[in-house]
Amino acid sequence: MTATPTTPQSEQPGRIMSREMSEQPDVLRRLLDTGAPDIRETARLVAAKKPRFVLLTARGTSDHAALYAKYLLEVRLGVPCGLTSMSTFTAYGAKPDLRDVLAVTVSQSGGSPDLVASTRAAREAGAITLSVTNNPDSALAAVSEHHIDIQAGPEKALPATKTYTASLLALYLFVEGLRGEDGAAATALPGLAAQLLDRQAEIKTLAARYRFAERMVITSRGYGYPTAKEAALKLMETSYIPALAYSGADLLHGPLAMVDNISPVIAVVTDGRGGQALQPVLDRLRGRGADLVVVGPKAQVEQASAGFVLPTDGVPEELQPILEIIPLQLLAHEVTIARGQDPDAPRALAKVTETR
């Protein structure tokens, strides 16, 4: 009998992304154990300068982490925030007055020229500059007054996974530090993340629903909205399925018309005020006969076509995005494998995107 050839472990599609997703509990634990003291000290130094406004700058996956920080800063700290348009600095040469403004730049590599240039320009305009990266030796860290190392370790797969959840946790700890708190509520996250990663069989069942999907809609509100945007990006860059992310409120303002009983809708339902605000949207989607899949609390999943129950009991709403994205990362991975593609190497993409 001739043995059936097998794909070498080093060549199996999605092997690198899978390994990096599995590292997330350890990354979160390391950040809590060894990174938290430095983050608290950075927060203390920034708080002493009493910034009156926060500007957040990022691209891609890091942009979704920045959006999460916007919710944290406005809800938890009461400080107004804005997401910057880097071209105002890099293309138009604008010179706004940024005195007493905290400019936070989030980047996995810290190497994109537009991020470096806009941070340098913000500092020259009087801003307090803080970079949040996975590379303390990067050009971005060098031009910033303050830096937070997310300590995720090398990330080789093109889709960012562990650097995203590490960025969320680092930003949470920083905002808690600005509030004079230690972020102790986050200590349960590594264990909960490990539990989610152990439920891959459930994800494979969900992935079967989307193997032939031509488009998808992902929606949420509040703290879950950055998760919806990041999940859409993961699905698009790995499986090439057009995935449209909408705030639940925006979905009702027109895009709801494209929802039918064929194109899947994933709703990310946080257990808290964001989930409560999304409830009318879920009712409308069910009323239209949508193929609705819910990632969230058990009670919400039971009312949907299918779903994935998150362990939200006792987890503050502002920390749930760090857990919400993990099953959606796994889903992007499994859908891509099912479609015969390799999530480690999406076409036409590079790990460091050098926009200017």
Side-chain angles (χ1 to χ4, degrees):
M1 178 181 291
T2 303
T4 303
T6 59
T7 303
Q9 180 68 18
S10 60
E11 299 176 10
Q12 290 178 357
R15 176 188 61 87
I16 301 173
M17 182 181 177
S18 179
R19 184 186 68 229
E20 291 175 351
M21 287 188 294
S22 72
E23 292 174 11
Q24 289 177 108
D26 289 339
V27 170
L28 297 174
R29 189 173 293 108
R30 180 166 61 245
L31 192 54
L32 287 167
D33 290 344
T34 67
D38 288 342
I39 294 173
R40 282 196 295 270
E41 176 60 14
T42 299
R44 186 188 68 80
L45 293 172
V46 171
K49 298 176 183 179
K50 299 181 180 179
R52 59 183 171 82
F53 191 86
V54 180
L55 288 175
L56 295 150
T57 302
R59 296 281 193 202
T61 284
S62 294
D63 199 32
H64 306 148
L67 180 58
Y68 168 73
K70 185 176 189 295
Y71 278 95
L72 284 174
L73 287 157
E74 292 186 340
V75 175
R76 303 283 289 169
L77 203 63
V79 175
C81 301
L83 299 173
T84 63
S85 299
M86 279 173 277
S87 59
T88 60
F89 290 111
T90 60
Y92 293 96
K95 298 184 182 298
D97 181 358
L98 298 183
R99 288 173 295 179
D100 301 322
V101 172
L102 171 61
V104 180
T105 306
V106 187
S107 171
Q108 298 152 44
S109 69
S112 187
D114 58 349
L115 293 168
V116 175
S118 62
T119 301
R120 182 186 293 112
R123 190 169 182 178
E124 291 171 352
I128 308 156
T129 52
L130 167 68
S131 57
V132 180
T133 81
N134 196 37
N135 184 1
D137 298 320
S138 63
L140 179 58
V143 301
S144 303
E145 182 181 358
H146 304 283
H147 177 258
I148 289 174
D149 180 3
I150 66 171
Q151 301 187 18
E155 189 172 59
K156 297 181 179 179
L158 284 174
T161 54
K162 63 178 182 175
T163 52
Y164 179 68
T165 47
S167 294
L168 297 190
L169 179 55
L171 289 163
Y172 169 80
L173 292 172
F174 173 68
V175 173
E176 288 302 285
L178 292 176
R179 300 177 63 238
E181 302 292 339
D182 62 5
T187 55
L189 291 177
L192 293 172
Q195 292 176 27
L196 292 173
L197 289 162
D198 284 342
R199 294 166 59 190
Q200 194 152 358
E202 295 177 54
I203 296 298
K204 288 185 177 181
T205 300
L206 279 180
R209 302 173 71 91
Y210 305 127
R211 182 176 179 182
F212 301 107
E214 295 183 0
R215 72 164 186 250
M216 296 174 64
V217 172
I218 307 178
T219 188
S220 189
R221 289 202 68 177
Y223 284 110
Y225 182 41
T227 307
K229 292 175 72 69
E230 173 62 9
L233 175 60
K234 283 293 156 284
L235 283 159
M236 287 189 287
E237 69 182 353
T238 57
S239 69
Y240 317 141
I241 298 173
L244 308 174
Y246 293 101
S247 157
D250 289 333
L251 185 63
L252 297 182
H253 285 268
L256 184 68
M258 71 176 175
V259 174
D260 53 30
N261 61 356
I262 299 173
S263 299
V265 178
I266 297 177
V268 180
V269 185
T270 55
D271 190 1
R273 295 186 183 184
Q276 294 166 11
L278 190 64
Q279 190 60 52
V281 182
L282 300 177
D283 294 340
R284 291 285 296 277
L285 289 168
R286 282 191 287 265
R288 290 185 62 81
D291 178 9
L292 177 63
V293 170
V294 166
V295 175
K298 182 178 180 180
Q300 292 289 350
V301 171
E302 289 175 343
Q303 298 179 50
S305 305
F308 187 94
V309 176
L310 289 173
T312 57
D313 289 348
V315 180
E317 182 178 3
E318 60 270 14
L319 281 173
Q320 291 175 33
I322 299 172
L323 302 176
E324 290 167 349
I325 192 57
I326 292 175
L328 294 166
Q329 293 170 344
L330 293 168
L331 180 65
H333 180 274
E334 293 299 330
V335 169
T336 304
I337 297 293
R339 290 165 72 95
Q341 293 145 200
D342 185 358
D344 285 341
R347 63 194 181 204
L349 295 181
K351 186 61 180 173
V352 180
T353 304
E354 295 192 354
T355 46
R356 297 183 184 272

